[in-house]
Structures are given as structure tokens and as C-alpha cells.
Amino acid sequence: MTTVVPDRRRTLFGLGAGNAMEWFDWNVYATFASFFASQFFNAHSAVSALLSTLAVFAVGFAARPIGGWVFGWVADRKGRQLAMALTVAIAAAGSLVIGLSPTYGQIGVWASVILVVARLAQGLAHGGELPSAQTYIAEVAPPARRGLWSSLIYFSGTCGVLVGTLLGAVLSGVLSHQQMLSFGWRIPFILGGVFGLYSLYVRLRMRETEVFQASKNNAAKEKGQIWQTIKKNPKLLAQVVGLTVGATVIYYMWAVAAPSYAITVRGVPPTGALWAGVFANVVFLIALPLWGIVSDRIGRKPVLFIAIAGLLLLSFPLNAMVGHEPWQLFVAMSIALLFMAGFSSIGPAVYAEIFPTRIRAVGVGVPYSIAVAAFGGTAPYLQTLFAGNGHPSLFIIYGIVLMVISALVTFTLPETRGVDLREKTEPVDRAVTGSGT
């Protein structure tokens, strides 16, 4: 069997389009933070307003574990397709609310409240999107090509980030700085909401995975057993957290927040910084499927070790490379994202392959969202705070420590390349093929 859905193109397009739109909605916040910070908070201090805006970015992450649990439960009990449709609808609504919200100057602190509520809603949606989409793509992919297929998650997501960054570069070049502060920042949020509704329509036409359908009868006979199954697998939960902590900090530092950080802290011209981010993410896009193919041939663990080792060795040199010129930011981002792609490409496959079917979405979603909320959500804030206090190296050391943790956890993983997910209906390791540790 090569696929479980008759129309493979429709399946991949529906998953990719929805994921791209949701990542667009989520990440344009960080990309445009320097432009709209003063519209939602006190504008008398630019740095203070930016820090407040980044704090709300972190608050949005606080809702992700709840979203991982709620929509992970929906995905494991009601279906992956339903969970993905709900998450993209909520994300689109949150984006429209932000784009149409009154400013601090118009309604005072209520503007800040609206922003927080909208980001919490998007946090719920994004917390449920990744585990649901990752589980879906892993279950429909041919076992021998699951690494390649899993790269669609970050490939489509990065397309969403790329479009947002590209839109920022174009708008900042066409509009004046005052126009960007006044109304330009609203454009990406409104567009994200509209295209999110289209993605909802596409996802409502997708079919459920055969793996989930096959396990549905067993799940019906074992109502109330999801939590019991999760409690029997604390090692799996810990492995998800350990793998995620290092990668999520490095990803948000280089793939999402780097242009905004370079503009605010290093004094890189806004248009040049945003274009540097666009081209660096193109490098990331090219690398993703290549790493997926490599993992299908040599295994998941070797690719993870290569990616982690590269990021550890180059952390300080790459940070030092970012000066006051856009080309320096581009080179540093490209190198970092080249290695980051090794982890991001196969992460969805690795997570799915170590879990049994009936807790695959919620089992990944909750610990993954907690790790991302605690470490990824605070990464841009900590990076800006440390740099603002004259200690940028502290954040680099912080990232290195977390990557070391991810490396140690990788040693504990079994090699899961080629495992048949239809056999993983019980929380045991005997279904895993290849060599384990």
C-alpha cells in the first residue's frame, strides 16, 4: 500500500495549505512585532513596547499545551481530519481579530486585552495543529518514504513563514515607516484570516487515515483508556520534551525572530533584514526534503546527531557573524537553518513512530506543546532581554545547554526508520524495527 487516501494530491495539498496558513498566522506576529508594538501598548518607550509585545508572544504559547491536549484528544478519539479542521478555523479567527482590532490610542488597555485573547486562541489552535498534522502525514505516508513525507510539515509551515516575511519585506519597501506603524502591519493578519478560511474549506474535504480507522474499533472498546495508556509511557513523554527543548529554541531564534532581533538590537535596516530572512528560509526549504530522503536511507538517529552537532559547534560563530549588514544576517541564518532542517524535517516521523496509534496525537501534542511553550515561546523575549542588558552570550549558552539535552535524549531513542504504524497499536517497543539503544 503506497497511500491510504485515493486522491494523494488533494490530501497533501489540504494538509500543506492548512499548515502553511496556520504557521503564517502564528509567525507574522513575531515578524511584524517591531511595527505594531506601539499600537497595542504604551508607545513612549519603543523597547518597552516591543518587550511587552514579545511577552504576549510567549503568553500565546501558554495555551499550546491545552490545545495539544484538547485537539490531541479529538484527533485520537474522533479523527485526525476533524482536529485539523477545527484548529485552522480558530487560527483564522484569531488572525482576523488582531488585524481588525482598535489600537491602544483608541481604546486604551482594552487593545492589549484583545491582543492577548486573540493570541491565546491562536495558541490553542497551533498547539493542536502540529500533533494532528504530524500524525496525519505519518499515517498516510508509505513506510519507506515517511521521512520525506514528514518534511511536508515544516516545508509547508516554512512556506507560511516565508510568505509572511516576504510580505513584510515588500510592505516595508513600498510603505513608509509611518504607514507601516499606522496600517501596514494589519495587512498580513487580515490576509492570514481570509486564507485560513479557505484552508478550512479544503480540510473539510479531506478523508480520515486508514491507520486511525483500523484502530477505531479497539478504541471504542477501551473508552477512558487514553489517559491510562499515557501514564504507562512516561519515557515516551520525556523523550518528546527532551528532543523538543533544544530544537525549538534554535528554530525560533533563527527561523522566526532573527530578522526582528537584527533590526531592533543590531541596527540592521528593516527591509534588508526581512529580505535576508526570506532568502535564508528558501535555503531551509531546499534542505528539508533532502534531509528527509537521507533519513529514509540511513536512519533517523544519524540525521538527528548530524543536525545537533552542527548547531552546537556553530552557535557562537554564527551569532558573531550577525553584524549591521543584511548579507551577514543571511549567511548566518542560512547556515543555522541548513542544520536545523535535519531535525525539523524528520521530527514528525520520529514522534509518530515511537507512539502507539491510540495516543499518537495527544501523546505527542501535550509534552511537545509544553516544551515549545516553556522554551520556544520565551526564546525571542530572552534573546532581546539578554542583548538589551549587554549579555547576548548568555542566550547562546542557554541554547547550547538545551541542545546538549536533546543530544542525550537522542541516544535513548530506538531506530524507527521503516516501522509499520499499523502494527503500533500497543505502547510497546517490539514493533520498532532497526537497532535501538
Side-chain angles (χ1 to χ4, degrees), residues 2-23:
T2 59
T3 182
V4 296
V5 181
D7 190 344
R8 182 184 300 180
R9 291 183 180 179
R10 185 175 68 185
T11 297
L12 295 179
F13 177 76
L15 191 147
N19 195 50
M21 288 303 102
E22 193 151 345
W23 281 52

Side-chain angles (χ1 to χ4, degrees), residues 21-157:
M21 288 303 102
E22 193 151 345
W23 281 52
F24 174 92
D25 288 346
W26 180 255
N27 287 287
V28 291
Y29 185 98
T31 301
F32 285 81
S34 59
F35 295 111
F36 70 80
S38 60
Q39 303 300 307
F40 288 94
F41 298 95
N42 193 327
H44 293 301
S45 172
V47 175
S48 176
L50 178 59
L51 286 175
S52 297
T53 306
L54 293 178
V56 176
F57 184 75
V59 167
F61 277 87
R64 291 182 62 154
I66 301 174
W69 171 260
V70 172
F71 294 108
W73 182 91
V74 171
D76 284 333
R77 292 296 294 269
K78 305 299 181 181
R80 316 331 189 179
Q81 182 268 345
L82 174 61
M84 292 192 301
L86 291 173
T87 59
V88 79
I90 294 173
S95 187
L96 285 174
V97 168
I98 295 175
L100 299 174
S101 173
T103 65
Y104 186 92
Q106 295 172 322
I107 60 173
V109 71
W110 285 108
S112 305
V113 172
I114 291 173
L115 181 65
V116 170
V117 172
R119 286 301 287 180
L120 286 173
Q122 288 188 319
L124 286 170
H126 208 65
E129 163 69 12
L130 276 176
S132 301
Q134 289 177 359
T135 299
Y136 190 96
I137 193 65
E139 291 182 349
V140 301
R145 301 181 66 190
R146 192 177 295 123
L148 172 61
W149 280 47
S150 75
S151 67
L152 175 65
I153 297 298
Y154 275 85
F155 186 91
S156 60

Side-chain angles (χ1 to χ4, degrees), residues 299-383:
R300 315 297 189 218
K301 293 179 68 173
V303 171
L304 291 177
F305 280 126
I306 293 170
I308 293 172
L311 293 169
L312 284 174
L313 293 174
L314 295 175
S315 290
F316 274 103
L318 291 178
N319 186 73
M321 187 181 296
V322 181
H324 303 293
E325 299 296 329
W327 72 266
Q328 296 171 321
L329 175 64
F330 164 71
V331 173
M333 285 185 68
S334 296
I335 296 173
L337 292 179
L338 180 64
F339 284 98
M340 188 66 230
F343 194 102
S344 301
S345 174
I346 65 173
V350 173
Y351 291 137
E353 288 167 345
I354 64 176
F355 274 90
T357 301
R358 59 193 172 102
I359 62 166
R360 185 165 291 136
V362 72
V364 173
V366 175
Y368 180 88
S369 297
I370 290 174
V372 172
F375 297 93
T378 58
Y381 181 89
L382 291 176
Q383 185 182 27

Side-chain angles (χ1 to χ4, degrees), residues 35-299:
F35 295 111
F36 70 80
S38 60
Q39 303 300 307
F40 288 94
F41 298 95
N42 193 327
H44 293 301
S45 172
V47 175
S48 176
L50 178 59
L51 286 175
S52 297
T53 306
L54 293 178
V56 176
F57 184 75
V59 167
F61 277 87
R64 291 182 62 154
I66 301 174
W69 171 260
V70 172
F71 294 108
W73 182 91
V74 171
D76 284 333
R77 292 296 294 269
K78 305 299 181 181
R80 316 331 189 179
Q81 182 268 345
L82 174 61
M84 292 192 301
L86 291 173
T87 59
V88 79
I90 294 173
S95 187
L96 285 174
V97 168
I98 295 175
L100 299 174
S101 173
T103 65
Y104 186 92
Q106 295 172 322
I107 60 173
V109 71
W110 285 108
S112 305
V113 172
I114 291 173
L115 181 65
V116 170
V117 172
R119 286 301 287 180
L120 286 173
Q122 288 188 319
L124 286 170
H126 208 65
E129 163 69 12
L130 276 176
S132 301
Q134 289 177 359
T135 299
Y136 190 96
I137 193 65
E139 291 182 349
V140 301
R145 301 181 66 190
R146 192 177 295 123
L148 172 61
W149 280 47
S150 75
S151 67
L152 175 65
I153 297 298
Y154 275 85
F155 186 91
S156 60
T158 302
C159 285
V161 175
L162 186 61
V163 171
T165 307
L166 179 61
L167 185 59
V170 171
L171 289 176
S172 65
V174 173
L175 302 177
S176 68
H177 185 69
Q178 186 57 43
Q179 289 175 321
M180 286 295 295
L181 295 176
S182 176
F183 67 87
W185 63 268
R186 295 183 183 273
I187 296 174
F189 290 104
I190 295 174
L191 288 177
V194 172
F195 284 117
L197 295 177
Y198 170 72
S199 298
L200 171 62
Y201 166 75
V202 174
R203 284 195 168 180
L204 288 174
R205 302 179 64 202
M206 293 171 62
R207 300 187 183 183
E208 191 52 75
T209 73
E210 187 178 271
V211 172
F212 174 79
Q213 294 284 13
S215 68
K216 200 171 183 180
N217 292 334
N218 288 336
K221 297 175 183 178
E222 300 174 356
K223 289 184 178 180
Q225 296 302 308
I226 287 182
W227 179 241
Q228 284 76 5
T229 304
I230 291 174
K231 289 194 296 183
K232 293 177 182 178
N233 292 271
K235 179 182 177 181
L236 295 180
L237 305 183
Q239 286 174 328
V240 173
V241 172
L243 281 174
T244 304
V245 292
T248 189
V249 168
I250 301 300
Y251 176 80
Y252 276 98
M253 179 170 66
W254 287 109
V256 179
S260 182
Y261 172 82
I263 293 170
T264 305
V265 178
R266 298 294 176 90
V268 178
T271 301
L274 291 171
W275 276 112
V278 168
F279 291 121
N281 272 284
V282 170
V283 174
F284 186 58
L285 281 175
I286 295 172
L288 284 168
L290 298 179
W291 280 118
I293 293 172
V294 171
S295 79
D296 285 331
R297 294 183 178 178
I298 69 173

